[in-house]
Amino acid sequence: MTASETQASLPSRSLKRKISISDNPPKSESTGKKRRKKAVPAISDDLHFENGFNNALGGLDRHLLADYIIQKTRKFTDNLRLGDLEENRIPLHAVRDTSNWQQPRTLENLPEFIRECSSNVGELKSLATSPKMKGSPHTIVVTAAGLRAADITRSLRVFETKDAIVAKLFAKHKKLTDAADYVRKTRIGIGVGTPARLIALLDSGALSSDKLERIVVDVSHIDQKKRGILDMKETFEPLVHLLSRADLKGHYIQGDGRIDLLFF
């Protein structure tokens, strides 16, 4: 995807203003005078292709982000029925609004992003712990490819201890059965993987969502072809299927057992 195509596919910042005030529409003006439109900064200013990240997505509030994902769902799914669209819709209340987080969405900032943007900030349990139940991480990071998963795993090693492994759950050289055996035997604090591999591990029963507190989606990273996890059908479709699983959606609620969605 080229920079111009990426810019065209993203919601404009003027749309952000429109959605943010939709619950309280302004009163009509009787003067008939036209307001002078403010200059809208080009979204391409936030695209850092040379550094491998797209900061524009991180600047979207949760309303715009949810709308953007719906647009992508319609684009990548042929003959989508209304019922299917609703079934795959990510609940808005599950998405943490991280648009106020001002740091670049780069690997070195990922640990701090997770610390600061989790819902229970101030009461945040140590990220360097893990549930006693093996194969039950408190955090899952979803990314587009195995090499990126390896990079993320290394960046999050600051949270690793002997009883709380930061586990890469995807490797081209490792069969699913081998990965499942590893997960079943390991106390995992944070798991990192691709959508398809995470779905397979959950379906196998090796990976459990019972203790899950947050899912971090690596949306800002772009590859050499300037594509992110939301830009490719082969990664977007399994991502939506993962996030809309019944065993996860049942926890997109307030209170104990809540799972937050954070888009990095």
Side-chain angles (χ1 to χ4, degrees):
M1 179 179 286
T2 65
S4 59
E5 289 172 337
T6 304
Q7 181 175 353
S9 65
L10 286 169
S12 69
R13 295 191 178 185
S14 59
L15 177 60
K16 182 174 181 178
R17 179 181 180 274
K18 179 180 178 182
I19 290 181
S20 66
I21 63 175
S22 60
D23 293 334
N24 297 288
K27 296 179 180 179
S28 59
E29 297 183 4
S30 58
T31 60
K33 294 182 180 179
K34 293 183 178 180
R35 289 185 177 180
R36 179 178 296 177
K37 293 183 178 180
K38 295 181 179 180
V40 178
I43 290 181
S44 59
D45 291 345
D46 289 330
L47 305 181
H48 301 269
F49 293 136
E50 68 280 4
N51 296 322
F53 72 97
N54 175 359
N55 224 37
L57 287 170
L60 301 179
D61 65 27
R62 63 178 185 169
H63 295 272
L64 280 177
L65 190 56
D67 183 65
Y68 182 59
I69 292 173
I70 291 173
Q71 292 179 29
K72 288 289 188 178
T73 304
R74 291 191 177 116
K75 174 182 177 181
F76 288 130
T77 309
D78 299 328
N79 302 318
L80 190 68
R81 296 177 302 177
L82 180 60
D84 293 332
L85 181 61
E86 289 299 322
E87 183 178 345
N88 288 290
R89 185 187 296 271
I90 298 171
L92 181 62
H93 59 264
V95 180
R96 293 287 299 170
D97 190 339
T98 64
S99 58
N100 290 329
W101 199 74
Q102 299 298 315
Q103 300 301 316
R105 312 246 167 166
T106 55
L107 278 177
E108 56 266 28
N109 290 327
L110 178 57
E112 191 62 27
F113 172 85
I114 296 176
R115 284 193 193 100
E116 292 192 9
C117 296
S118 296
S119 64
N120 48 352
V121 62
E123 300 178 2
L124 187 63
K125 298 176 182 177
S126 173
L127 290 165
T129 62
S130 69
K132 292 182 179 180
M133 184 189 306
K134 295 178 180 179
S136 302
H138 54 66
T139 302
I140 284 177
V141 182
V142 192
T143 192
L147 288 176
R148 177 66 174 177
D151 291 338
I152 290 175
T153 301
R154 284 191 289 270
S155 76
L156 296 178
R157 285 270 160 79
V158 294
F159 300 127
E160 183 170 274
T161 68
K162 64 177 183 178
D163 293 322
I165 300 299
V166 177
K168 183 178 69 171
L169 303 179
F170 177 87
K172 289 185 177 180
H173 65 275
K174 183 175 289 188
K175 296 180 180 179
L176 175 61
T177 52
D178 295 333
D181 288 341
Y182 168 75
V183 171
R184 288 191 181 96
K185 298 174 182 177
T186 307
R187 285 183 61 180
I188 299 173
I190 300 175
V192 185
T194 61
R197 175 53 63 92
L198 291 167
I199 289 173
L201 289 172
L202 286 167
D203 287 345
S204 72
L207 184 66
S208 171
S209 62
D210 289 348
K211 303 298 182 181
L212 196 59
E213 297 177 16
R214 66 192 64 81
I215 300 173
V216 182
V217 186
D218 181 34
V219 296
S220 296
H221 173 70
I222 51 177
D223 62 17
Q224 293 180 344
K225 295 183 179 180
K226 304 173 183 178
R227 304 172 304 174
I229 193 171
L230 303 182
D231 300 318
M232 300 175 284
K233 183 174 182 178
E234 62 268 29
T235 55
F236 180 83
E237 283 192 337
L239 173 64
V240 171
H241 292 155
L242 171 67
L243 299 182
S244 59
R245 288 174 61 96
D247 54 336
L248 298 181
K249 289 182 77 172
H251 292 279
Y252 295 156
I253 55 176
Q254 297 291 341
D256 294 339
R258 173 186 169 87
I259 297 176
D260 281 332
L261 298 181
L262 285 74
F263 289 82
F264 177 69

